[in-house]
Amino acid sequence: MRIVHRAVELESTHRCVLVPTMGALHDGHAALVRQARAESERQAGKPGIVGAAVGKEGSRPPVVVTIFVNPTQFDQRADLDRYPRTLEADCKICERAGADVVFAPAVEEVYPPGNSLRVPRLPEVATEPGLEDAARPGHFAGVCQVVLRLFELTRPGAAIFGEKDWQQLQVVRAMVAQERLSIEIIPGPTVRESDGLAMSSRNRFLSPQERAAGLSLSRALREAHAIDRVADAEARLRAALDSAGVQVDYAVVREAESLRRVGTGHRGSYRAIVAGRVGTVRLLDNAPWPGRGG
Ligand code: AMP
């Protein structure tokens, strides 16, 4: 596995399978890298694709993990400053999970001074739902900017994004469609601790009591799963979070891709999505919601 810091050192990552991260990697990220490796091997087995994709890394598209704490997506300076940076350990995780290249650029490499980078027009799902877009103003502008820039630097054929950040996954999908990029966006399932807590780089900041309160997010989703009216499911989500002392940002059931409110008689797939603060730590989670809507 190669570790590179400069874009010029990337070489031959054209049509790679990309896993963008901010580092402080845990088993959830490792699962995405393993998924990327499996995708790379699957593509290698497909006649016609390999020819264009062979890089120096071998006879399959390389698996590239980017590790970059993107300052433009943080709405709180304190959150950016305390974001954990653990590059050495991250590289070991990437290597074990089957990455070929780790790209860990400095801020100036991603945002060269004096070079005004394009922020794409934000898709509706990044501005309308009133979820992360409302809780973290400017966040998705930063996400879209950095994702587009990382795509430009690494030129992937496919990129893996975790379902853990459900709205982000939909925003990236919508942006790729809007920009007509030929990059397949592949969702990666959420990896959880054995008690249900979704893994997150921020979990390390939870005290034991806060961690117990944080468990209410996955519990709320499990409880709401069994309730088949939207309003009742949302009430159950909120009650479960309130009773654990979570400061709720939102606790909703939405149309899974557009994140629009569920209309009466609407058919499709839905997602229950929750976010809130436990102490100073912000937690998110979501799950499929199979209720009938209305
Ligand atoms: P992050 O660096 O944590 O902001 O996220 C990098 C990628 O990992 C994003 O696509 C996240 O959605 C994904 N991710 C974060 N936590 C998990 C998890 N517990 N399971 C699966 N994917 C995750």
Side-chain angles (χ1 to χ4, degrees):
M1 187 186 81
R2 291 190 300 131
I3 302 170
V4 305
H5 302 283
R6 306 283 313 277
V8 289
E9 299 169 293
L10 273 171
E11 303 166 3
S12 67
T13 59
H14 183 54
R15 307 301 294 164
C16 67
V17 183
L18 182 68
V19 183
T21 80
M22 297 204 299
L25 302 185
H26 49 62
D27 286 352
H29 300 116
L32 301 187
V33 180
R34 285 195 298 273
Q35 192 179 344
R37 176 67 179 241
E39 174 61 21
S40 160
E41 285 168 3
R42 191 190 66 78
Q43 286 190 21
K46 257 193 182 175
I49 294 187
V50 185
V54 175
K56 272 200 176 162
E57 319 302 333
S59 60
R60 53 177 177 74
V63 173
V64 178
V65 180
T66 59
I67 296 181
F68 178 63
V69 183
N70 174 38
T72 72
Q73 74 189 68
F74 283 80
D75 52 326
Q76 306 270 342
R77 177 74 211 205
D79 190 25
L80 170 64
D81 288 343
R82 81 162 179 175
Y83 202 84
R85 285 152 171 95
T86 58
L87 184 60
E88 215 176 298
D90 292 348
C91 289
K92 287 196 184 121
I93 290 174
C94 290
E95 180 145 41
R96 273 202 298 273
D100 298 298
V101 179
V102 167
F103 177 46
V107 174
E108 303 74 50
E109 193 70 17
V110 178
Y111 302 121
N115 199 343
S116 65
L117 286 171
R118 192 164 67 90
V119 179
R121 186 166 58 82
L122 291 183
E124 265 186 23
V125 69
T127 56
E128 295 304 309
L131 305 176
E132 286 305 282
D133 48 306
R136 304 184 68 187
H139 173 66
F140 285 128
V143 168
C144 287
Q145 180 185 41
V146 78
V147 168
L148 212 55
R149 179 68 176 142
L150 292 172
F151 284 172
E152 192 175 278
L153 293 172
T154 60
R155 300 184 304 148
I160 308 211
F161 286 83
E163 292 182 348
K164 159 84 181 350
D165 298 281
W166 185 262
Q167 191 176 2
Q168 170 174 281
L169 170 64
Q170 306 313 324
V171 166
V172 171
R173 275 182 167 159
M175 179 184 74
V176 163
Q178 197 173 280
E179 300 284 318
R180 297 175 196 272
L181 304 176
S182 81
I183 301 172
E184 187 188 358
I185 302 302
I186 304 173
T190 300
V191 177
R192 300 173 178 282
E193 304 286 357
S194 54
D195 58 8
L197 183 70
M199 289 189 182
S200 161
S201 305
R202 294 181 174 91
N203 288 353
R204 69 190 70 195
F205 299 126
L206 295 168
S207 70
Q209 294 91 323
E210 289 170 344
R211 198 183 175 292
L215 269 182
S216 66
L217 277 80
S218 53
R219 194 170 56 238
L221 293 167
R222 278 197 305 277
E223 288 177 15
H225 193 268
I227 299 174
D228 70 355
R229 275 192 67 234
V230 172
D232 296 341
E234 290 184 339
R236 179 63 69 90
L237 289 172
R238 188 166 283 270
L241 300 175
D242 281 343
S243 65
V246 176
Q247 272 183 281
V248 181
D249 285 331
Y250 51 84
V252 295
V253 171
R254 292 291 175 90
E255 201 280 319
E257 281 185 22
S258 68
L259 298 184
R260 290 201 188 98
R261 284 172 214 284
V262 180
T264 35
H266 184 91
R267 279 171 215 281
S269 57
Y270 309 107
R271 205 85 188 170
I273 314 177
V274 293
R277 208 168 283 276
V278 178
T280 61
V281 184
R282 195 152 177 279
L283 298 175
L284 322 180
D285 206 347
N286 67 85
W289 184 79
R292 285 195 300 270

